[in-house]
Amino acid sequence: MRRYGLSDSQWERIKDLLPGREGHVGGTAADNRLFVEAVLYRYRAGIPLRDLPARFGDWKSVHRRLRRWCESGVIEQVFRHLAADRDNGYMMIDSTIV
């Protein structure tokens, strides 16, 4: 697992909540996991989208997809799903990653 990447167990918990998966109405996304890891990398590293490493693809595509997912409520749905887990290590009261 790369730094800022998702573990397999984390990915298993959210993959069925994301649009673009196989069998989902609409197009199949190239790689939802890579996109989610790009978003996590951006926020955890505290960098602008333009500074994303090349392995995540074009930063404009990441931005466009993130904006669509935010507007459609996908990001909020994933957050609520993960926040319901009482063992969530990222739910800290006085942390900048809340």
Side-chain angles (χ1 to χ4, degrees):
M1 180 176 83
R2 289 187 172 156
R3 186 172 186 197
Y4 302 132
L6 292 170
S7 68
D8 290 337
S9 65
Q10 290 169 322
W11 174 245
E12 287 298 319
R13 290 177 51 205
I14 66 168
K15 72 178 184 177
D16 293 331
L17 301 172
L18 308 177
R21 63 189 178 274
E22 293 228 9
H24 189 258
V25 176
T28 301
D31 192 346
N32 274 342
R33 185 172 183 163
L34 183 65
F35 167 72
V36 171
E37 288 184 355
V39 172
L40 290 174
Y41 185 95
R42 186 253 189 230
Y43 285 105
R44 289 179 179 173
I47 61 171
L49 278 168
R50 291 178 187 214
D51 293 340
L52 275 175
R55 73 176 181 264
F56 295 119
D58 181 35
W59 71 269
K60 292 177 189 176
S61 297
V62 173
H63 175 265
R64 187 173 30 255
R65 193 169 175 187
L66 178 60
R67 184 177 42 83
R68 284 195 320 254
W69 282 22
C70 287
E71 290 172 357
S72 67
V74 173
I75 299 295
E76 182 177 353
Q77 180 184 11
V78 169
F79 177 77
R80 289 186 185 279
H81 177 77
L82 295 175
D85 181 9
R86 294 186 180 154
D87 291 331
N88 188 350
Y90 292 110
M91 298 292 288
M92 296 178 235
I93 299 281
D94 80 311
S95 174
T96 59
I97 60 170
V98 170

